[in-house]
Amino acid sequence: MKEQGCSTKYRTMRQCVAGGKERNFSMVAGLEAQDECRSAMDAVKQSPLYNCRCKRGMKKEKNCLRIYWGIYQTLQGNDFLEDSPYETMNSRLSEIFRLAPIISGEPAVTRENNCLNAAKACNLNDTCKKYRSAYISPCTSRVSTAEVCNKRKCHKALRQFFDKVPPKHSYGMLFCSCPAGDQSACSERRRQTIVPVCSYEDKEKPNCLSLQASCKTNYICRSRLADFFANCQSEPRSLSGCLKENYADCLLSYSGLIGTVMTPNYLRSPKISVVPYCDCSSSGNGKEECDKFTEFFTDNTCLRNAIHAFGNGTDVGVWQPMPPVQTTTSTTTPSKKAKDRSPNSLDAATNTNHLNTGDESLYHFCGSLQAQKLKSNISIDGVLCVDPQIDDPGISNSISRNSAGLLSSQAHLYSLLLLLAVLLHCTLAALYPAADL
């Protein structure tokens, strides 16, 4: 706004998209006005303003999102392709585990009611207790005989809870793990975390496409939904089931939906499944589109795996064996890679206390899961990254520099002997005819 040229183009663009998309404006505007609009939009796309993002829960979040969607108004289309207006977090579940004493790596079936334990832990934390009380009050206070609560105030307080409370406490309540056979105490407490009678349910269940359209009229709801679509995209060829291979970002995006008209909640079913309060009845010709929308919630492998991972104290790709350096292109199939690098292989891998020298792989300790991710992104061939904080300390200490140096020396000796054998064979073949041999 301080730069005259940029300010003028920005104001012109705002006028062009006011009340709808650019094509709506072009229907009533002359060719000269259309050219002016396109010129203004092209100018804004070349400015730093075009790449701006917002921070979730920031003081002026709604104003920031208004500017963002004002710029991207002409890019509306497939909702599953809308980019997130929020800054990339790149957080890791492992960072939460290091701070959360209530989280354990043991299977959920052997533990107590983790959802109850999470609620107790929240009450012992001043911040969590403050913001939990702040949403319990409006979400449970009846306004009149016809209104069970003030849903607007309830939603606002819920958004503040998940935006302000550290994930180790808010996630502990929302994504706590329950034994597979428990469909009563533990799972019901988890379902009641957001006080669904006020924040989730309504007098009538709307059509999901209508609910989505209503969401898109609100800057915060539209942004949170776009963020969820961007960070919880499933990918069947991915080891984690997530396109972005990041469970923490998916859970953050899901929790961001709570407190909007698109608030989802757990279904009462044997498996983990969530859905907004809507259905696809009366969808007409939009039935297929509606089913696709709801399935992104009810049958989302990425989200389900992320919730399981948090409850079990695991994360994406702790062990990532890389193939040895080769001169030819690898023909390993995706299914073989998934088998070798499955997150569930951590338990078996951490119990192994010897090196397999058959594949001549190199081994390297990663300082943290994030460091491991950065290393794997730059494709260091032949490196197996192991997080020393997750691996067994006794195992980690057993691999010393001396043993690594010995293995390296042996490998070089074997290579030298093989080379000498080949040279000797070739020399003998040259000196003596095949018949003499």
Side-chain angles (χ1 to χ4, degrees), residues 1 4-18 25 32-41 43-44 70:
M1 300 306 292
Q4 182 64 31
C6 184
S7 176
T8 301
K9 294 293 185 180
Y10 175 69
R11 292 179 186 278
T12 301
M13 185 205 70
R14 289 291 304 277
Q15 292 176 357
C16 291
V17 300
F25 178 85
E32 184 177 348
Q34 293 179 34
D35 291 340
E36 186 178 357
C37 283
R38 293 192 184 96
S39 175
M41 291 176 182
V44 171

PDB file of all heavy atoms in Angstrom, residues 1 4-18 25 32-41 43-44 70:
ATOM      1  N   MET A   1       0.821  -1.207   0.000  1.00  0.00           N
ATOM      2  CA  MET A   1       0.000   0.000   0.000  1.00  0.00           C
ATOM      3  C   MET A   1       0.863   1.269   0.000  1.00  0.00           C
ATOM      4  O   MET A   1       0.400   2.336  -0.383  1.00  0.00           O
ATOM      5  CB  MET A   1      -0.944  -0.011   1.203  1.00  0.00           C
ATOM      6  CG  MET A   1      -1.907  -1.210   1.245  1.00  0.00           C
ATOM      7  SD  MET A   1      -2.881  -1.422  -0.255  1.00  0.00           S
ATOM      8  CE  MET A   1      -3.930   0.020  -0.189  1.00  0.00           C
ATOM      9  N   GLN A   4       3.280   3.296  -4.648  1.00  0.00           N
ATOM     10  CA  GLN A   4       2.211   3.856  -5.471  1.00  0.00           C
ATOM     11  C   GLN A   4       1.796   2.906  -6.592  1.00  0.00           C
ATOM     12  O   GLN A   4       0.609   2.640  -6.795  1.00  0.00           O
ATOM     13  CB  GLN A   4       2.654   5.210  -6.058  1.00  0.00           C
ATOM     14  CG  GLN A   4       1.582   5.903  -6.896  1.00  0.00           C
ATOM     15  CD  GLN A   4       0.349   6.286  -6.072  1.00  0.00           C
ATOM     16  OE1 GLN A   4       0.470   6.566  -4.877  1.00  0.00           O
ATOM     17  NE2 GLN A   4      -0.815   6.275  -6.694  1.00  0.00           N
ATOM     18  N   GLY A   5       2.784   2.381  -7.335  1.00  0.00           N
ATOM     19  CA  GLY A   5       2.457   1.523  -8.469  1.00  0.00           C
ATOM     20  C   GLY A   5       1.746   0.254  -8.045  1.00  0.00           C
ATOM     21  O   GLY A   5       0.730  -0.134  -8.635  1.00  0.00           O
ATOM     22  N   CYS A   6       2.282  -0.390  -7.009  1.00  0.00           N
ATOM     23  CA  CYS A   6       1.686  -1.639  -6.522  1.00  0.00           C
ATOM     24  C   CYS A   6       0.304  -1.388  -5.938  1.00  0.00           C
ATOM     25  O   CYS A   6      -0.632  -2.161  -6.158  1.00  0.00           O
ATOM     26  CB  CYS A   6       2.603  -2.266  -5.472  1.00  0.00           C
ATOM     27  SG  CYS A   6       2.039  -3.891  -4.869  1.00  0.00           S
ATOM     28  N   SER A   7       0.166  -0.294  -5.196  1.00  0.00           N
ATOM     29  CA  SER A   7      -1.100   0.041  -4.566  1.00  0.00           C
ATOM     30  C   SER A   7      -2.205   0.254  -5.595  1.00  0.00           C
ATOM     31  O   SER A   7      -3.332  -0.218  -5.442  1.00  0.00           O
ATOM     32  CB  SER A   7      -0.942   1.293  -3.696  1.00  0.00           C
ATOM     33  OG  SER A   7      -2.176   1.683  -3.155  1.00  0.00           O
ATOM     34  N   THR A   8      -1.855   0.955  -6.682  1.00  0.00           N
ATOM     35  CA  THR A   8      -2.850   1.233  -7.731  1.00  0.00           C
ATOM     36  C   THR A   8      -3.318  -0.056  -8.396  1.00  0.00           C
ATOM     37  O   THR A   8      -4.523  -0.264  -8.598  1.00  0.00           O
ATOM     38  CB  THR A   8      -2.246   2.172  -8.790  1.00  0.00           C
ATOM     39  OG1 THR A   8      -1.828   3.392  -8.157  1.00  0.00           O
ATOM     40  CG2 THR A   8      -3.256   2.483  -9.880  1.00  0.00           C
ATOM     41  N   LYS A   9      -2.370  -0.922  -8.733  1.00  0.00           N
ATOM     42  CA  LYS A   9      -2.723  -2.184  -9.385  1.00  0.00           C
ATOM     43  C   LYS A   9      -3.551  -3.076  -8.452  1.00  0.00           C
ATOM     44  O   LYS A   9      -4.493  -3.742  -8.885  1.00  0.00           O
ATOM     45  CB  LYS A   9      -1.450  -2.924  -9.814  1.00  0.00           C
ATOM     46  CG  LYS A   9      -0.646  -2.217 -10.901  1.00  0.00           C
ATOM     47  CD  LYS A   9      -1.409  -2.182 -12.214  1.00  0.00           C
ATOM     48  CE  LYS A   9      -0.569  -1.585 -13.321  1.00  0.00           C
ATOM     49  NZ  LYS A   9      -1.314  -1.540 -14.619  1.00  0.00           N
ATOM     50  N   TYR A  10      -3.191  -3.072  -7.180  1.00  0.00           N
ATOM     51  CA  TYR A  10      -3.901  -3.906  -6.213  1.00  0.00           C
ATOM     52  C   TYR A  10      -5.356  -3.443  -6.060  1.00  0.00           C
ATOM     53  O   TYR A  10      -6.285  -4.255  -6.035  1.00  0.00           O
ATOM     54  CB  TYR A  10      -3.186  -3.869  -4.862  1.00  0.00           C
ATOM     55  CG  TYR A  10      -3.908  -4.620  -3.764  1.00  0.00           C
ATOM     56  CD1 TYR A  10      -4.005  -6.006  -3.787  1.00  0.00           C
ATOM     57  CD2 TYR A  10      -4.497  -3.939  -2.700  1.00  0.00           C
ATOM     58  CE1 TYR A  10      -4.660  -6.702  -2.788  1.00  0.00           C
ATOM     59  CE2 TYR A  10      -5.159  -4.624  -1.690  1.00  0.00           C
ATOM     60  CZ  TYR A  10      -5.230  -6.007  -1.740  1.00  0.00           C
ATOM     61  OH  TYR A  10      -5.896  -6.683  -0.747  1.00  0.00           O
ATOM     62  N   ARG A  11      -5.541  -2.112  -5.963  1.00  0.00           N
ATOM     63  CA  ARG A  11      -6.911  -1.581  -5.836  1.00  0.00           C
ATOM     64  C   ARG A  11      -7.733  -1.883  -7.081  1.00  0.00           C
ATOM     65  O   ARG A  11      -8.932  -2.190  -7.001  1.00  0.00           O
ATOM     66  CB  ARG A  11      -6.854  -0.079  -5.577  1.00  0.00           C
ATOM     67  CG  ARG A  11      -6.274   0.293  -4.213  1.00  0.00           C
ATOM     68  CD  ARG A  11      -6.236   1.815  -4.046  1.00  0.00           C
ATOM     69  NE  ARG A  11      -5.565   2.194  -2.814  1.00  0.00           N
ATOM     70  CZ  ARG A  11      -6.135   2.217  -1.612  1.00  0.00           C
ATOM     71  NH1 ARG A  11      -7.400   1.866  -1.487  1.00  0.00           N
ATOM     72  NH2 ARG A  11      -5.442   2.580  -0.543  1.00  0.00           N
ATOM     73  N   THR A  12      -7.106  -1.795  -8.234  1.00  0.00           N
ATOM     74  CA  THR A  12      -7.810  -2.091  -9.487  1.00  0.00           C
ATOM     75  C   THR A  12      -8.237  -3.565  -9.512  1.00  0.00           C
ATOM     76  O   THR A  12      -9.368  -3.889  -9.892  1.00  0.00           O
ATOM     77  CB  THR A  12      -6.910  -1.801 -10.702  1.00  0.00           C
ATOM     78  OG1 THR A  12      -6.516  -0.430 -10.680  1.00  0.00           O
ATOM     79  CG2 THR A  12      -7.638  -2.101 -12.006  1.00  0.00           C
ATOM     80  N   MET A  13      -7.339  -4.443  -9.095  1.00  0.00           N
ATOM     81  CA  MET A  13      -7.662  -5.862  -9.078  1.00  0.00           C
ATOM     82  C   MET A  13      -8.816  -6.142  -8.119  1.00  0.00           C
ATOM     83  O   MET A  13      -9.718  -6.929  -8.424  1.00  0.00           O
ATOM     84  CB  MET A  13      -6.425  -6.664  -8.656  1.00  0.00           C
ATOM     85  CG  MET A  13      -6.625  -8.174  -8.716  1.00  0.00           C
ATOM     86  SD  MET A  13      -5.552  -9.085  -7.605  1.00  0.00           S
ATOM     87  CE  MET A  13      -6.245  -8.638  -6.017  1.00  0.00           C
ATOM     88  N   ARG A  14      -8.797  -5.480  -6.947  1.00  0.00           N
ATOM     89  CA  ARG A  14      -9.873  -5.671  -5.977  1.00  0.00           C
ATOM     90  C   ARG A  14     -11.224  -5.262  -6.562  1.00  0.00           C
ATOM     91  O   ARG A  14     -12.249  -5.917  -6.324  1.00  0.00           O
ATOM     92  CB  ARG A  14      -9.585  -4.852  -4.714  1.00  0.00           C
ATOM     93  CG  ARG A  14      -8.451  -5.379  -3.854  1.00  0.00           C
ATOM     94  CD  ARG A  14      -8.825  -6.698  -3.180  1.00  0.00           C
ATOM     95  NE  ARG A  14     -10.043  -6.583  -2.396  1.00  0.00           N
ATOM     96  CZ  ARG A  14     -10.103  -6.120  -1.150  1.00  0.00           C
ATOM     97  NH1 ARG A  14      -8.979  -5.739  -0.534  1.00  0.00           N
ATOM     98  NH2 ARG A  14     -11.241  -6.050  -0.505  1.00  0.00           N
ATOM     99  N   GLN A  15     -11.231  -4.198  -7.324  1.00  0.00           N
ATOM    100  CA  GLN A  15     -12.473  -3.744  -7.962  1.00  0.00           C
ATOM    101  C   GLN A  15     -12.931  -4.751  -9.022  1.00  0.00           C
ATOM    102  O   GLN A  15     -14.137  -4.973  -9.206  1.00  0.00           O
ATOM    103  CB  GLN A  15     -12.267  -2.370  -8.601  1.00  0.00           C
ATOM    104  CG  GLN A  15     -12.038  -1.254  -7.588  1.00  0.00           C
ATOM    105  CD  GLN A  15     -11.735   0.075  -8.256  1.00  0.00           C
ATOM    106  OE1 GLN A  15     -11.644   0.158  -9.484  1.00  0.00           O
ATOM    107  NE2 GLN A  15     -11.561   1.118  -7.456  1.00  0.00           N
ATOM    108  N   CYS A  16     -11.979  -5.347  -9.708  1.00  0.00           N
ATOM    109  CA  CYS A  16     -12.321  -6.287 -10.773  1.00  0.00           C
ATOM    110  C   CYS A  16     -12.968  -7.560 -10.232  1.00  0.00           C
ATOM    111  O   CYS A  16     -13.865  -8.127 -10.866  1.00  0.00           O
ATOM    112  CB  CYS A  16     -11.069  -6.654 -11.564  1.00  0.00           C
ATOM    113  SG  CYS A  16     -10.390  -5.297 -12.551  1.00  0.00           S
ATOM    114  N   VAL A  17     -12.504  -8.012  -9.089  1.00  0.00           N
ATOM    115  CA  VAL A  17     -13.009  -9.281  -8.563  1.00  0.00           C
ATOM    116  C   VAL A  17     -14.116  -9.080  -7.538  1.00  0.00           C
ATOM    117  O   VAL A  17     -14.650 -10.052  -7.009  1.00  0.00           O
ATOM    118  CB  VAL A  17     -11.872 -10.111  -7.920  1.00  0.00           C
ATOM    119  CG1 VAL A  17     -10.801 -10.433  -8.935  1.00  0.00           C
ATOM    120  CG2 VAL A  17     -11.279  -9.377  -6.731  1.00  0.00           C
ATOM    121  N   ALA A  18     -14.447  -7.838  -7.229  1.00  0.00           N
ATOM    122  CA  ALA A  18     -15.498  -7.567  -6.247  1.00  0.00           C
ATOM    123  C   ALA A  18     -16.820  -8.166  -6.721  1.00  0.00           C
ATOM    124  O   ALA A  18     -17.283  -7.921  -7.826  1.00  0.00           O
ATOM    125  CB  ALA A  18     -15.650  -6.064  -6.043  1.00  0.00           C
ATOM    126  N   PHE A  25     -17.082 -10.417 -14.107  1.00  0.00           N
ATOM    127  CA  PHE A  25     -16.861  -9.015 -14.428  1.00  0.00           C
ATOM    128  C   PHE A  25     -16.757  -8.829 -15.935  1.00  0.00           C
ATOM    129  O   PHE A  25     -17.273  -7.871 -16.488  1.00  0.00           O
ATOM    130  CB  PHE A  25     -15.566  -8.526 -13.752  1.00  0.00           C
ATOM    131  CG  PHE A  25     -15.223  -7.090 -14.067  1.00  0.00           C
ATOM    132  CD1 PHE A  25     -15.774  -6.056 -13.338  1.00  0.00           C
ATOM    133  CD2 PHE A  25     -14.345  -6.779 -15.097  1.00  0.00           C
ATOM    134  CE1 PHE A  25     -15.462  -4.737 -13.626  1.00  0.00           C
ATOM    135  CE2 PHE A  25     -14.035  -5.474 -15.400  1.00  0.00           C
ATOM    136  CZ  PHE A  25     -14.591  -4.453 -14.651  1.00  0.00           C
ATOM    137  N   GLU A  32     -11.849  -2.693 -22.981  1.00  0.00           N
ATOM    138  CA  GLU A  32     -10.818  -1.857 -22.369  1.00  0.00           C
ATOM    139  C   GLU A  32     -10.708  -2.135 -20.867  1.00  0.00           C
ATOM    140  O   GLU A  32      -9.612  -2.245 -20.316  1.00  0.00           O
ATOM    141  CB  GLU A  32     -11.134  -0.383 -22.600  1.00  0.00           C
ATOM    142  CG  GLU A  32     -10.048   0.553 -22.062  1.00  0.00           C
ATOM    143  CD  GLU A  32     -10.362   2.017 -22.367  1.00  0.00           C
ATOM    144  OE1 GLU A  32     -11.280   2.284 -23.165  1.00  0.00           O
ATOM    145  OE2 GLU A  32      -9.668   2.893 -21.806  1.00  0.00           O
ATOM    146  N   ALA A  33     -11.872  -2.260 -20.220  1.00  0.00           N
ATOM    147  CA  ALA A  33     -11.877  -2.546 -18.787  1.00  0.00           C
ATOM    148  C   ALA A  33     -11.317  -3.941 -18.514  1.00  0.00           C
ATOM    149  O   ALA A  33     -10.600  -4.166 -17.536  1.00  0.00           O
ATOM    150  CB  ALA A  33     -13.292  -2.431 -18.236  1.00  0.00           C
ATOM    151  N   GLN A  34     -11.637  -4.923 -19.390  1.00  0.00           N
ATOM    152  CA  GLN A  34     -11.112  -6.277 -19.224  1.00  0.00           C
ATOM    153  C   GLN A  34      -9.590  -6.284 -19.326  1.00  0.00           C
ATOM    154  O   GLN A  34      -8.905  -6.964 -18.547  1.00  0.00           O
ATOM    155  CB  GLN A  34     -11.710  -7.203 -20.291  1.00  0.00           C
ATOM    156  CG  GLN A  34     -13.207  -7.443 -20.131  1.00  0.00           C
ATOM    157  CD  GLN A  34     -13.762  -8.343 -21.228  1.00  0.00           C
ATOM    158  OE1 GLN A  34     -13.072  -9.248 -21.702  1.00  0.00           O
ATOM    159  NE2 GLN A  34     -14.992  -8.097 -21.643  1.00  0.00           N
ATOM    160  N   ASP A  35      -9.060  -5.533 -20.278  1.00  0.00           N
ATOM    161  CA  ASP A  35      -7.606  -5.453 -20.426  1.00  0.00           C
ATOM    162  C   ASP A  35      -6.968  -4.828 -19.196  1.00  0.00           C
ATOM    163  O   ASP A  35      -5.895  -5.249 -18.754  1.00  0.00           O
ATOM    164  CB  ASP A  35      -7.252  -4.641 -21.674  1.00  0.00           C
ATOM    165  CG  ASP A  35      -7.614  -5.371 -22.962  1.00  0.00           C
ATOM    166  OD1 ASP A  35      -7.770  -6.610 -22.904  1.00  0.00           O
ATOM    167  OD2 ASP A  35      -7.750  -4.710 -24.017  1.00  0.00           O
ATOM    168  N   GLU A  36      -7.622  -3.830 -18.629  1.00  0.00           N
ATOM    169  CA  GLU A  36      -7.097  -3.171 -17.430  1.00  0.00           C
ATOM    170  C   GLU A  36      -7.080  -4.139 -16.239  1.00  0.00           C
ATOM    171  O   GLU A  36      -6.140  -4.147 -15.443  1.00  0.00           O
ATOM    172  CB  GLU A  36      -7.953  -1.942 -17.099  1.00  0.00           C
ATOM    173  CG  GLU A  36      -7.385  -1.114 -15.953  1.00  0.00           C
ATOM    174  CD  GLU A  36      -8.215   0.127 -15.667  1.00  0.00           C
ATOM    175  OE1 GLU A  36      -9.195   0.369 -16.395  1.00  0.00           O
ATOM    176  OE2 GLU A  36      -7.879   0.853 -14.714  1.00  0.00           O
ATOM    177  N   CYS A  37      -8.124  -4.956 -16.152  1.00  0.00           N
ATOM    178  CA  CYS A  37      -8.186  -5.947 -15.073  1.00  0.00           C
ATOM    179  C   CYS A  37      -7.071  -6.977 -15.219  1.00  0.00           C
ATOM    180  O   CYS A  37      -6.394  -7.323 -14.249  1.00  0.00           O
ATOM    181  CB  CYS A  37      -9.540  -6.654 -15.088  1.00  0.00           C
ATOM    182  SG  CYS A  37     -10.894  -5.682 -14.391  1.00  0.00           S
ATOM    183  N   ARG A  38      -6.885  -7.481 -16.431  1.00  0.00           N
ATOM    184  CA  ARG A  38      -5.834  -8.478 -16.648  1.00  0.00           C
ATOM    185  C   ARG A  38      -4.463  -7.889 -16.374  1.00  0.00           C
ATOM    186  O   ARG A  38      -3.584  -8.557 -15.805  1.00  0.00           O
ATOM    187  CB  ARG A  38      -5.903  -9.002 -18.082  1.00  0.00           C
ATOM    188  CG  ARG A  38      -7.160  -9.805 -18.387  1.00  0.00           C
ATOM    189  CD  ARG A  38      -7.050 -10.536 -19.719  1.00  0.00           C
ATOM    190  NE  ARG A  38      -8.295 -11.213 -20.043  1.00  0.00           N
ATOM    191  CZ  ARG A  38      -9.239 -10.707 -20.822  1.00  0.00           C
ATOM    192  NH1 ARG A  38      -9.089  -9.490 -21.344  1.00  0.00           N
ATOM    193  NH2 ARG A  38     -10.356 -11.378 -21.072  1.00  0.00           N
ATOM    194  N   SER A  39      -4.264  -6.646 -16.762  1.00  0.00           N
ATOM    195  CA  SER A  39      -2.985  -5.984 -16.509  1.00  0.00           C
ATOM    196  C   SER A  39      -2.723  -5.845 -15.014  1.00  0.00           C
ATOM    197  O   SER A  39      -1.603  -6.074 -14.536  1.00  0.00           O
ATOM    198  CB  SER A  39      -2.981  -4.598 -17.173  1.00  0.00           C
ATOM    199  OG  SER A  39      -1.799  -3.890 -16.853  1.00  0.00           O
ATOM    200  N   ALA A  40      -3.767  -5.482 -14.264  1.00  0.00           N
ATOM    201  CA  ALA A  40      -3.622  -5.328 -12.813  1.00  0.00           C
ATOM    202  C   ALA A  40      -3.316  -6.670 -12.156  1.00  0.00           C
ATOM    203  O   ALA A  40      -2.464  -6.767 -11.264  1.00  0.00           O
ATOM    204  CB  ALA A  40      -4.897  -4.722 -12.225  1.00  0.00           C
ATOM    205  N   MET A  41      -4.000  -7.722 -12.598  1.00  0.00           N
ATOM    206  CA  MET A  41      -3.779  -9.049 -12.008  1.00  0.00           C
ATOM    207  C   MET A  41      -2.392  -9.575 -12.325  1.00  0.00           C
ATOM    208  O   MET A  41      -1.734 -10.182 -11.470  1.00  0.00           O
ATOM    209  CB  MET A  41      -4.853 -10.013 -12.513  1.00  0.00           C
ATOM    210  CG  MET A  41      -6.236  -9.695 -11.980  1.00  0.00           C
ATOM    211  SD  MET A  41      -7.510 -10.750 -12.673  1.00  0.00           S
ATOM    212  CE  MET A  41      -8.959 -10.034 -11.880  1.00  0.00           C
ATOM    213  N   ALA A  43       0.218  -7.757 -12.818  1.00  0.00           N
ATOM    214  CA  ALA A  43       1.158  -6.957 -12.025  1.00  0.00           C
ATOM    215  C   ALA A  43       1.224  -7.469 -10.586  1.00  0.00           C
ATOM    216  O   ALA A  43       2.303  -7.556  -9.997  1.00  0.00           O
ATOM    217  CB  ALA A  43       0.744  -5.489 -12.053  1.00  0.00           C
ATOM    218  N   VAL A  44       0.062  -7.816 -10.015  1.00  0.00           N
ATOM    219  CA  VAL A  44       0.032  -8.330  -8.643  1.00  0.00           C
ATOM    220  C   VAL A  44       0.739  -9.685  -8.565  1.00  0.00           C
ATOM    221  O   VAL A  44       1.435  -9.992  -7.588  1.00  0.00           O
ATOM    222  CB  VAL A  44      -1.418  -8.445  -8.138  1.00  0.00           C
ATOM    223  CG1 VAL A  44      -1.472  -9.185  -6.808  1.00  0.00           C
ATOM    224  CG2 VAL A  44      -2.034  -7.058  -7.987  1.00  0.00           C
ATOM    225  N   GLY A  70      -8.540 -12.499  -1.729  1.00  0.00           N
ATOM    226  CA  GLY A  70      -8.775 -11.432  -2.687  1.00  0.00           C
ATOM    227  C   GLY A  70      -7.848 -11.553  -3.883  1.00  0.00           C
ATOM    228  O   GLY A  70      -8.218 -11.252  -5.017  1.00  0.00           O
TER     229      GLY A  70
END
